[in-house]
Amino acid sequence: MQPSRAAPKEAARPIYLDNAATTCTDGRVASLIHEMLCEEYGNPSSLHNMGLRAERRVAAARRQVASLAGCREEEVYFTSGATEANNLALIGAARAKARRGRRIVTSQIEHASVLSALDSLAADGFDIVKIPPRSDGTVDPEAFAEAVDEGTVLASCMLVNNETGALCDVADIAGRCKAKNPQLLFHCDGVQALGKVPFSFKKLPVDLMSFSGHKLFAPKGIGALVVKKGARLLPLLYGGKQQGGLRPGTENTAYIAGMGLACELARQEFSARLAQMERLHDHLLKKIAETPQLCSNSPLKCAPNIVNLSVPGIRSETMLHFLEGRGIYVSSASACTKGAKSHVLAAMGLPDRLVDSALRLSFSPDITEEDLDLTIAALCEGASSLARA
């Protein structure tokens, strides 16, 4: 007679380790959004008092985003999210610069919304050069700048990789590119960096930077693009004169206010959040090093909120669902890939056995070392029981 299998033991509370995919909306942000939807619901373009109040809320949010990102408030343009911000930056800049040249340089580890936008430009006749990463997932500034020539009109490199947490030296990369060709525009995907690592837009030699609200405890459906004064883009949408005509359409006032507050809270709580995530990051890497069934795919120098690991021999999706049965939530790659094999890990040259078994764990400040210990124990249990199965 076969022994009955014990039911999966769930954690006392859900352990959510997929914050790089999306975060829970902060209660303070949700309350403000509710107020905006139900009380301060005027159109910011209306000339009456309710419209003026809504316009002031948008202006306040623009200041809050600018304060966290280290840019001027007039450089902030609100979008529906980072995908739109990336598309507006890349396609808008390329079309505006098309008469000067057709070459664009990027890396192979960029987010799908960057790579897909550039693929669409390739179909329009642009020459897209994609630089492979080093084996640790970072981008070599010299190799990146080497691809820039006098016909290069645009370059793009992310600050923090969304799958491995690898930190790219954008200051060095962009500085080298600008030295070779001062006329090019440089775009940086800052989605996983905002509120997570220290940086200042005005101190970086970049022209465009994209952000997302729902990675920072604001809701999905709101983002921002920072455009340095003097950088010319062609709009993707056409309509009214909102946001200088670069991003027309009635502003999503409630979500804009919510993203503004989320940025203000991140600025106020930055030191405490960073310290907590650094503790979690160090604790997890130590546990991985002590666990033979696991190996880390993230570089030593990376953002404190993301760790990529593999459980060789167990496919990512299989382990993901095993952990889910224990109330632990992780991802196998970027959420936008819908479970497809990681192009980032493949570009790093990792063997298939590591790519096929990779998991991404990403923290929020309310995660504890105990949560990570429970996760490591569940990973070990899964490695043992799934291998036998």
Side-chain angles (χ1 to χ4, degrees):
M1 178 175 164
Q2 292 290 336
S4 60
R5 291 185 62 186
K9 295 180 180 178
E10 289 196 24
R13 65 177 179 86
I15 299 176
Y16 183 75
L17 295 170
D18 199 16
N19 290 276
T22 196
T23 57
C24 172
T25 300
D26 188 296
R28 295 165 289 185
V29 172
S31 294
L32 175 60
I33 290 172
H34 183 269
E35 176 192 340
M36 296 296 299
L37 290 171
C38 299
E39 298 175 26
E40 297 290 344
Y41 52 84
N43 187 321
S45 298
S46 296
L47 299 181
H48 50 64
N49 188 46
M50 286 189 69
L52 293 175
R53 292 205 304 270
E55 184 182 28
R56 292 191 195 105
R57 295 278 195 155
V58 172
R62 189 169 277 116
R63 288 193 296 272
Q64 291 170 320
V65 173
S67 181
L68 180 62
C71 66
R72 300 175 180 175
E73 58 187 272
E74 62 268 24
E75 295 174 323
V76 177
Y77 294 82
F78 290 107
T79 67
S80 63
T83 291
E84 183 191 342
N86 284 334
N87 276 256
L88 175 57
L90 297 169
I91 298 174
R95 289 177 177 172
K97 290 272 195 177
R99 291 186 179 181
R100 300 186 66 94
R102 311 285 288 185
R103 189 177 181 89
I104 301 173
V105 181
T106 190
S107 81
Q108 291 181 357
I109 64 168
E110 300 301 310
H111 188 270
S113 61
V114 167
L115 296 177
S116 295
L118 294 179
D119 287 343
S120 77
L121 289 170
D124 289 337
F126 284 87
D127 175 25
I128 313 299
V129 181
K130 299 176 183 177
I131 306 302
R134 299 178 176 120
S135 60
D136 67 352
T138 60
V139 177
D140 182 355
E142 185 176 356
F144 193 103
E146 182 66 26
V148 171
D149 61 16
E150 62 181 13
T152 304
V153 294
L154 179 63
S156 181
C157 184
M158 63 191 352
L159 189 55
V160 174
N161 183 262
N162 55 300
E163 292 193 32
T164 67
L167 285 166
C168 297
D169 192 348
V170 170
D172 191 10
I173 295 169
R176 288 171 183 257
C177 292
K178 293 275 190 175
K180 286 192 71 176
N181 184 343
Q183 300 301 316
L184 68 75
L185 291 178
F186 199 101
H187 166 259
C188 178
D189 178 342
V191 169
Q192 296 293 348
L194 188 66
K196 311 292 197 314
V197 298
F199 73 89
S200 172
F201 177 82
K202 62 186 175 186
K203 293 181 180 179
L204 291 172
V206 305
D207 306 286
L208 308 160
M209 203 164 190
S210 308
F211 302 120
S212 173
H214 77 100
K215 314 292 187 178
L216 197 66
F217 309 104
K220 304 166 190 67
I222 184 66
L225 176 65
V226 177
V227 181
K228 183 169 288 184
K229 185 177 180 181
R232 180 170 172 263
L233 307 179
L234 294 182
L236 300 184
L237 306 174
Y238 295 88
K241 299 299 183 183
Q242 296 93 340
Q243 302 197 79
L246 181 59
R247 206 291 186 173
T250 302
E251 294 94 337
N252 185 353
T253 314
Y255 278 24
I256 287 172
M259 183 174 179
L261 178 56
C263 287
E264 176 62 19
L265 294 171
R267 187 188 66 80
Q268 293 174 1
E269 301 169 5
F270 183 84
S271 296
R273 293 185 187 185
L274 179 61
Q276 171 65 358
M277 287 191 288
E278 285 176 339
R279 283 193 295 270
L280 294 170
H281 186 266
D282 292 346
H283 182 79
L284 182 56
L285 288 183
K286 180 174 180 290
K287 289 291 184 181
I288 292 172
E290 295 171 351
T291 308
Q293 298 98 317
L294 309 178
C295 63
S296 172
N297 300 321
S298 292
L300 292 176
K301 185 180 179 183
C302 65
N305 58 307
I306 297 174
V307 170
N308 193 294
L309 61 84
S310 287
V311 190
I314 310 298
R315 293 187 65 85
S316 304
E317 187 174 354
T318 303
M319 181 61 81
L320 184 153
H321 291 303
F322 179 88
L323 295 176
E324 180 185 14
R326 276 128 180 91
I328 300 170
Y329 299 90
V330 303
S331 63
S332 56
S334 170
C336 297
T337 65
K338 295 285 188 180
K341 182 179 292 189
S342 167
H343 72 279
V344 173
L345 299 183
M348 290 165 58
L350 292 184
D352 287 345
R353 67 185 185 88
L354 296 184
V355 176
D356 292 341
S357 62
L359 298 170
R360 180 185 65 183
L361 280 61
S362 46
F363 318 130
S364 66
D366 64 346
I367 293 296
T368 66
E369 284 92 340
E370 182 183 4
D371 292 332
L372 298 182
D373 291 344
L374 290 169
T375 301
I376 291 291
L379 284 167
C380 292
E381 180 190 357
S384 176
S385 63
L386 294 171
R388 288 198 304 271

